[in-house]
Structures are given as structure tokens and as C-alpha cells.
Amino acid sequence: MTASSVEQLRKDGNELFKCGDYEGALTAYTQALGLGATPQDQAILHRNRAACHLKLEDYDKAETEASKAIEKDGGDVKALYRRSQALEKLGRLDQAVLDLQRCVSLEPKNKVFQEALRNIAGQIQEKVRYMSSTDAKVEQMFQILLDPQEKGTEKKQKASQNLVVLAREDAGAEKIFRSNGVQLLQRLLDTGEPDLMLAALRTLVGICSEHQSRTVATLSVLGTRRVVSILGVENQAVSLAACHLLQVMFDALKEGVKKGFRGKEGAIIVDPARELKVLISNLLELLTEVGVSGQGRDSALTLLIKVVPRKSPKDPNNSLTLWVIDQGLKKILEVGGSVQDPPGELTVTANSRMSASILLSKLFDDLKCDAERENFHRLCENYIKSWFEGQGLAGKLRALQTVSCLLQGPCDAGNRALELNGVMESVIALCASEQEEEQLVAVEALIHAAGKAKRASFITANGVSLLKDLYRRGEKDSIRIRALVGLCKLGSAGGTDFSMKQFAEGSTLKLAKQCRKWLCNDQIDAGTRRWAVEGLAYLTFDADVKEEFVEDEAALKALFQLSKSEERSVLFAVASALVNCTNSYDYEEPDPKMVELAKYAKQHVPEQHPKDKPSFVRARVKKLLAAGVVSAMTCMVKTESPVLTSSCRELLSRVFLALVEESEDRGTVVAQGGGKALLPLALEGTDVGQMKAAQALARLTITSNPEMTFPGERIYEVVRPLVSLLHLNCSGLQNFEALMALTNLAGISERLRQKILKERAVPMIEGYMFEEHEMIRRAATECICNLAMSKEVQDLFEATGSDRLKLLVLYSGEDDELLRRAAAGGLAVLTSTRPSLCSRIPQVTTHWLEILQALLLSPNQELQHRGAVVVLNMVEASSEIASTLMESEMLEILSVLAKGKESPVTRAAAACLRKAVEYGLIRPSQDGK
């Protein structure tokens, strides 16, 4: 019984493999292995699993499975060949050639093995030639760099630049590494010359990229502390290059070796987790080190944001986050509590505190349970108390600045800090201080404290009069503008609800007007003008404010210029204002019955502003496009800063989707670089943000030429986001737009079709061919029609037991003309490329003849042509099928069509009749026609 079960599962797996369902085949083979198969069966199952992994391009697993098969049966030539294929893909040519030589010795006459052995031998010879030439190049460059007689630096710089280029190739990087290149590069770093330091750092990037052992060896030679310290140099380019190198090192330590060269992999035994902690520990030390540049401190925060938190909540291990909180939370809070102006003990930039807030937020979000969160709260509160109590006024200011940092990041921790004894009272008291620095800290804390509804109501009762007084009577614009933002934040507490207004009629318009005035004043520094944008981000919940804002061309221009400036902390506020102006936030129309019920129960019912109706929104979108919103957003997306958070990316994705709502606006979006900007948004960020960006990409792909919209290699990057919209958690509209876009791409080139197949989109597309909604069903059929030009899809239709052909034949007889056109087009392609399918058409349904006749009798020329091509292919494929066709009414229909006006249909019909004459099934008429 067990043996028969194993055999059945193996056969099932073989059928699934033939149909292209490699995941399903893998599952069947795995189940068979679990049933106690014999050693011989185990060898077969393991080599079959290796074949599946080869198809899925998982070459490490393919090698493992083939090796298991060889362990069971050393003479299994198929397993040896599959292992050689996997080893070749992994770049281990020396091992692959040994397996192939064994294959040839076992089957000397097998031409496939002989050809594979010749190919791999050629690759090895090429590699040897390249390495020989590389040896000479590296030696020459080293001689120039080490020559003490070389007075000028021009040759040295050229040699070091050549090293950078060489290190980009893995063979070159290995050669530099083996030639004591790391020690040489260390000497370049020690020169202190920016150009040579840049070249050394970029070469080290090539050496460490995706190679764990070389990374560990490099850190051992240079010293972890030395590498991290380069982040803190004043030269911005060198600091950024060091940041890039450290990111590559982190990736290598986390992922291990991916490339073919193993190098000294086995020579160094290390614990990657330990090396990671050493690197992170040094970054944490750098945060509070005196003399480190502000840029370097920001880079350290950026690296910690990227490296420490888990990439996915599905990963159960957050031990690195817990370790960083225990070891470095105080150091992060110290940066968050520092001020840029006047300069304090730590040098920071305008973006440092925001970066610290983002890191704190990421760490807090990565905690899994209440005990971990409670520990985070306790550490934050103890740190704030240590400054707030017994440290005088300077300590209180530092504590309040830290509270502001927490409110901008993990606001739960910030709100708890506000509840500490005396903190809120100090905020209110210091707002009235005569010292500008003290007022700035207090007002900012008050603004951030108004973020939550319960806090906003408390401040509305206790702090509004104070903010109004600061706004009206303040002498410094820096104080007045912050007080204004506090009022804006409180005034927008009702959100888009027209019925909930915190202030008197017209007050929000006055506040917005003042914000726009400050925004347009280029005499004010960017850091202060940023607060004006913050105010508008809150006030633009009001539709009257939106209307006035989009009419103010100068304000829009100033907003877009500020978004492109070095003041990165403004990005979220700009994105928020644009979301409000385009109404691209989620809004569901309330159920009228529920509204009536709420009114009857005397419950509050949100009301939409009359100027938030679709016609007003469309008009605002037009004005934003005319003002150049797309180019501004494109610059924002390019920002390499922690400030461009996943939430900020989602806001930008929402705006882009609103901008491409109308098809006539999509050309403008493409012309201003919107297509390029959408790609990174669709590949990184929140799930909602990626989905919105993918939908915007789909709309651009549908209405414009994809090759113009996404030139070069970029067009292949569009496929994955579009396929993501086919999942069942997406809406019907998103499914439909993705199918339409993929149809366009599939019609461009075979390479694009292969990319779609590689993303495993075909099963999902086929699933939508059964969708009840006729437009989705039609779009899926059109997509399959275009994909049918690929061999892999043709194989699926030709597979034994497949009903795919039957579905296309039946759809060719449906009432929906567009669905018929798509299905008939697919049939025409398939019967042209796979004549064997022609003989199967009569077997799939008894109505096949009626369906083909209906196509030829259709008044639609396209349907006629596709039907005529299918019939011609069937006639040419077999005289038996031709005989069946000629014995029916098809002969009369073809005769009538052949006499019509010259067209593709008449030519196809005439070709059918000529072939029938050739078979001897019919005779030409007396006039020879």
C-alpha cells in the first residue's frame, strides 16, 4: 500500500512538473519521501526535487537535493547532471566539470553531456585568461601606489580609480583581496586625502559586497572602530562613502555569500551575530562621541534604522532590537535631545532629531509584548527624569527636547513622558519665557503634544490662549510661526468633518493665509519655513483652505522648492498637504440608513465639505499638475534619508494615484518623471503604499506606450508590482487594471513575457478567466492571448489532461464580442504554433463546428479574420479535420468569403479551399476558382 502511494505521488508530481506547476510537483515529491520510500525511490524523488529547484532558480537547494540522490545511488547520471547544472549556476565551475566528466564516463555517447562539458570547459578557460590578465593589472596598480619615488598624485589617483572598477567584478575583487589589497587600501585611508580615501572606500565596497568571509577579514585588518570612525569626518562625500561601505558590510554579514567565488570562506570561522553586534556597538558609541560631524551622526542613525529592526513581523527573532535598546537607547535619546542652534556639545544637523525619532519609533514598533514595551517606557522615563530633576533649567530644556523627540517617534512613550510630574506645567511656564531658546523648546513640545485627541482637548482648554498670545505679541518670527502651527494643529482636530470646527468661521482661512505668507518669505531660513508647511498640513483638512492654497501659485512654488531643499524634515508635511489637497486619503461613503439611524440616536454624523466633491478635487489636481507637483514629488522619492519613511512613501503613492485618475493627465505625469518615481514606491514601503503605487503604474502602462514611459531596463521592473495586484486581497478594479497593463506588456517582447512567467503570474491570470465580472474575465483572456506566444504557455495548453484549450474554444462562442475576440485570437496563435492542438479542438466540445462557423459569419472583421486563421490552421494540420470541415456548412461559408473583396479574411478562406483541393476533398469550379 505504501509503495503504491509513493508511486502514485511520484506520477502526480511528474504530471504537475510537465504542466509547469513546479511548486506543486515539489510538494508531491516531498509527500512521497515521507511515506517510507525505498532507497531507489528516494534517489529518484530527490533528483526530481532537484529538477524542480532548478526550474525555480533555487540553485543551492537543487545542489543539495541532487547530492542526496547521488548518496543513495552513486551512478544516478540524471542526478549528477542536475548537480552540475546547479553548480554551474552557482559559479563553482571546477566542481561542475567533475560531475560532467563522470556523466560522460557513464554515458560516453550522450551528446547532451558532451556539449555541456565543452561549454563549461570554455567558461573555465575564459576565466583563467581573465584572471591572468587581472593579475598583471593589479600588480601594476600596486606598484604605482606603493612607489615612494612617485611625487605627484595623479598616477596614484588613476590607479586607485582603476582598482574601484576592477573591484566591481567578483574575480577582480577576489584578486585584490588575495594580493593583500586590504592593507594597501588601509594605507590610502591613512593619507587623509579625500580623493584617495573615496577610492579606497569604493574599492572596499566591491571586496565586501555579498561576501561574508572577505568582509570579516577586512574588518579584522582595518579594525571595526577605524571603519566606523570614518563616518564622522567632516568631508561629506567621504562620510557617505563610509556609510555605503558599512551598509554593504551589514548586508554581507546578514546574508552570507551569494556569488560564486567562495574565496577564503572556509578559512575563517566566525559568528555573524557577534560581528554584527560589534559593528552596531561602534555605531552607538559614535552617536555620542564629541567631534563627530553632524552628517556622520545622521549616517550612523540611518544605518541603525536599516539594520536593527526586523524586516518582517513574521520573523520571530527581535533579539537585536532588545540588545540595542538595552545598550544604546540612552545614546539615541541624547541625540534626540540635542539642539542645532545654538550648537551644543554634540554637533547635529536639522535632520538629526527627526532621524532619532524615526529610529526610536522603529525600535518600539519592533517590540513584541507588553513587558518589552514597559521596559522601553521605563528607560525613557528614567532618562528624562535624570535631566528634569536636579539639573536646573538647562536640564529641564534637555528633558523637554527629548519628550518632543519621543512625541515625533513612538508617541505612546512621549505621551507617558508628558504625564510625568511637572513636565506639562514646565511646558506651559516656559512658553512665557523671555528667552527665545527656552520658548522654542517649550512651544515645539506643546505642538507635538497636541497630536492626540485627548491631549488636544487638554491644550485647547489650557494652552490656546497662550498660543494666541505668543502669535499676536511675539517679537520673533521663529516663535510666532511655531505658535501658529500649534493653533493650526488644534484647529484641525475635526479632520475633514465639516461639522466639527474648533475655531470661529474664517479663523482657519486667516491662519492658512499667514502660513502661506511665511512660506513664501525666502528671507526666513528653511528650518523655520518648514513650520509653515506643518501648519498647512493640518489646515488643508479644510476644503476652503485647499481651494485658496492651490490658487496661490507663489505658495505652491515655494512649497515645491522647499521639498527639494536640504531641509528633509519637511517631506512628511509636504506629502500630507498634497494628500489633503487631492483627497487621496481613504474615504467611504456612509450608508444612508446608518446615517438616519445615527441621527435618530442623536449621534454625531460626519459631514463632507461641499468643496470636497469630485468636481472640485479634479480641478485642484489640474492646478497642482500645472504648478509642477510631479517633478517635486520625483525629487522627494529620490531622497536617501530616514525621513522618507514607509508612511511618507505611502502618502506620496496616494497622491500619484490621484494624479493619474484621469487618463488625459497621465501624459503630464509621465513627461515630468512620474513613471520613474513610482517604481521605488511600488517596491518598498507599507503594503497599502505599494499597492497604490502599483495601481498608478498599471494606469500609466494601460494608456501610454510602456517602452516610452519606462525606457530601457526599467520596463522589466514594472512587472512585479503589476503581478502583486492580481492577489485576492486586491479590489476588482485593481485586478482589472493589472490584467490590462500586463496584456500591453506581454504584447511587446518575448523577454517581457518571460519576466511575467518568472513572476508566476500565469496561474493567477488563468484564475481570473473564470471571474464572474465580464470585464475582468475578458482582460484575463486577452492577457493569456498575448502570453500564448511564449513556448512555456503553449506547453501548458498542450499538456495532457489540460482544459485550457476547451475554455478558449467555448469563450470563442460567447455573446460578449470582446471576449470572443480575445479567445479567438488565442486560438489563432496556439493553432499556428502548435498544430497538434488543431486535432484536439473537435474533442473538447461537440459545439466546436458551430463556434467556428459563427466566427466566420460574424459582421466583425476581426472576429472573421481570427476564425479564418483558426480554420486554415486546422485544415493544414490534418486531412481528416479538413474532411470534417468540408463535409459541413463550412465549405459554403468559405466559398462565399473567398469571393469577397480582397482582405486577410478572403485570403485565408481561399487558402483553406486550395488546401482542400490539394487533399482531393473538393474540386475547383470550371473557371478554376
Side-chain angles (χ1 to χ4, degrees), residues 445-735:
L446 194 63
I447 292 167
H448 298 311
K452 297 288 183 181
K454 64 175 184 178
R455 192 67 55 192
S457 59
F458 168 81
I459 297 170
T460 302
N462 299 281
V464 169
S465 57
L466 180 59
L467 288 171
K468 285 182 177 178
D469 191 55
L470 286 171
Y471 172 57
R472 289 170 182 164
R473 300 181 185 179
E475 295 180 2
K476 298 283 187 180
D477 278 346
S478 58
I479 300 295
R480 294 185 65 217
I481 198 167
R482 285 166 172 78
L484 176 61
V485 172
L487 292 171
C488 294
K489 199 168 187 178
L490 294 169
S492 65
T496 58
D497 187 353
F498 182 49
S499 63
M500 284 187 68
K501 296 298 174 187
Q502 301 289 324
F503 296 149
E505 187 70 32
S507 295
T508 51
L509 288 173
K510 289 179 182 176
L511 291 173
K513 185 176 181 180
Q514 184 59 51
C515 281
R516 297 202 309 272
K517 181 180 177 183
W518 269 320
L519 175 61
C520 295
N521 187 352
D522 54 12
Q523 299 301 312
I524 302 175
D525 66 278
T528 304
R529 289 165 66 205
R530 189 254 300 184
W531 286 98
V533 183
E534 292 271 359
L536 288 168
Y538 293 112
L539 291 176
T540 46
F541 280 121
D542 188 313
D544 289 319
V545 174
K546 300 177 197 180
E547 289 294 315
E548 286 195 1
F549 186 37
V550 298
E551 292 289 348
D552 190 338
E553 293 182 13
L556 288 176
K557 184 179 179 182
L559 179 77
F560 298 154
Q561 285 178 342
L562 193 59
S563 71
K564 299 174 186 178
S565 70
E566 293 298 318
E567 184 62 41
R568 297 306 185 195
S569 54
V570 78
L571 296 184
F572 191 86
V574 173
S576 299
L578 292 174
V579 165
N580 292 339
C581 288
T582 56
N583 282 34
S584 46
Y585 39 72
D586 291 327
Y587 175 77
E588 289 187 15
E589 197 70 39
D591 186 343
K593 292 182 180 178
M594 295 301 294
V595 170
E596 291 300 319
L597 188 61
K599 287 180 179 177
Y600 178 77
K602 296 184 179 178
Q603 296 293 315
H604 173 71
V605 179
E607 295 178 19
Q608 188 181 33
H609 197 292
K611 292 182 180 178
D612 271 334
K613 290 180 179 177
S615 58
F616 284 92
V617 176
R618 282 196 293 271
R620 291 201 292 266
V621 166
K622 301 278 187 191
K623 289 168 185 173
L624 287 170
L625 285 169
V629 66
V630 176
S631 59
M633 289 172 63
T634 302
C635 290
M636 291 167 70
V637 172
K638 291 178 183 176
T639 301
E640 293 185 7
S641 167
V643 177
L644 191 66
T645 59
S646 295
S647 299
C648 189
R649 286 173 171 274
E650 180 183 322
L651 295 180
L652 293 172
S653 298
R654 288 177 178 276
V655 178
F656 268 120
L657 185 58
L659 295 177
V660 298
E661 180 74 29
E662 300 293 324
S663 57
E664 62 265 25
D665 294 331
R666 294 170 193 171
T668 305
V669 173
V670 171
Q672 294 182 13
K676 183 180 178 181
L678 277 166
L679 283 170
L681 294 177
L683 297 170
E684 186 180 348
T686 65
D687 291 342
V688 173
Q690 290 183 59
M691 197 181 295
K692 301 281 186 188
Q695 192 175 1
L697 282 172
R699 290 178 178 177
L700 293 180
T701 309
I702 291 168
T703 54
S704 59
N705 181 352
E707 292 175 290
M708 299 286 287
T709 307
F710 310 105
E713 294 296 306
R714 206 170 291 148
I715 193 170
Y716 303 101
E717 297 175 36
V718 181
V719 175
R720 181 170 294 173
L722 295 179
V723 172
S724 71
L725 293 178
L726 297 178
H727 293 292
L728 295 175
N729 60 332
C730 297
S731 67
L733 177 61
Q734 290 169 333
N735 298 153

Side-chain angles (χ1 to χ4, degrees), residues 205-217:
V205 166
I207 290 173
C208 297
S209 183
E210 296 183 343
H211 206 296
Q212 185 171 302
S213 67
R214 290 202 300 243
T215 299
V216 173

Side-chain angles (χ1 to χ4, degrees), residues 29-30 160 189 251 276 308 371 434 508 537 737 789:
Y29 297 141
T30 305
S160 60
L189 291 172
D251 292 342
L276 278 171
V308 177
E434 293 182 0
T508 51
E737 290 178 336
M789 291 183 276

Side-chain angles (χ1 to χ4, degrees), residues 785 788-791 794 797-798 805 808 823-839 841 865-877 908:
C785 173
M789 291 183 276
S790 289
K791 175 184 176 297
Q794 293 163 15
F797 277 88
E798 205 171 25
L805 184 65
L808 278 189
L827 279 179
V829 171
L830 289 165
T831 52
S832 297
T833 54
R834 298 294 172 99
S836 61
L837 292 175
C838 295
S839 59
I841 289 177
H865 181 221
R866 294 176 189 212
V869 170
V870 174
V871 172
L872 176 59
N873 292 335
M874 293 177 72
V875 169
E876 290 180 338

Side-chain angles (χ1 to χ4, degrees), residues 11-12 152 268 293 345 348 388 532 627 635 667 732 821 828 858 873 883 914:
K11 287 180 178 178
D12 291 345
I268 302 171
S293 67
E345 188 176 314
V348 292
F388 194 77
C635 290
R821 187 180 69 181
S858 170
N873 292 335
S883 176
R914 284 196 298 273

